[in-house]
Amino acid sequence: MFASKSLVAHVARGVIGFGALAAAVLLARDLLWLSLALLPVALVALRGCPMCWTVGLIQTVAARARGERPEGLCDDGGCAGGPPERG
């Protein structure tokens, strides 16, 4: 559910999210408006919260260790939303 297609993409989202969150906290005293603007950036990058990002990291690593693609992701980006057809 929270897993990414690649570990690099997931870690990059974490760096952006945690960086924006840290900057928001550090800038809160001097630049309140910039600090408030960085909070949504952090939430979007982390897909909701730091715990959601952590769960996604665990799912991504576990899927890679099993040699599978993370659940819910499509190879071509054009998912129909249903289970794959068997033929």
Side-chain angles (χ1 to χ4, degrees):
M1 181 173 173
F2 294 105
S4 296
K5 286 186 178 183
S6 74
L7 189 58
V8 173
H10 197 84
V11 171
R13 278 192 13 259
V15 168
I16 293 168
F18 285 114
L21 192 59
V25 170
L26 293 173
L27 295 174
R29 185 175 201 167
D30 299 325
L31 301 169
L32 182 61
W33 292 108
L34 180 58
S35 177
L36 291 174
L38 287 172
L39 288 176
V41 172
L43 290 176
V44 168
L46 295 175
R47 291 189 183 170
C49 65
M51 184 55 79
C52 298
W53 180 85
T54 304
V55 169
L57 178 64
I58 292 168
Q59 288 178 346
T60 303
V61 170
R64 291 293 175 189
R66 289 188 307 263
E68 302 172 353
R69 294 196 54 83
E71 181 181 319
L73 298 176
C74 301
D75 291 328
D76 62 357
C79 296
E85 293 182 23
R86 297 182 187 218

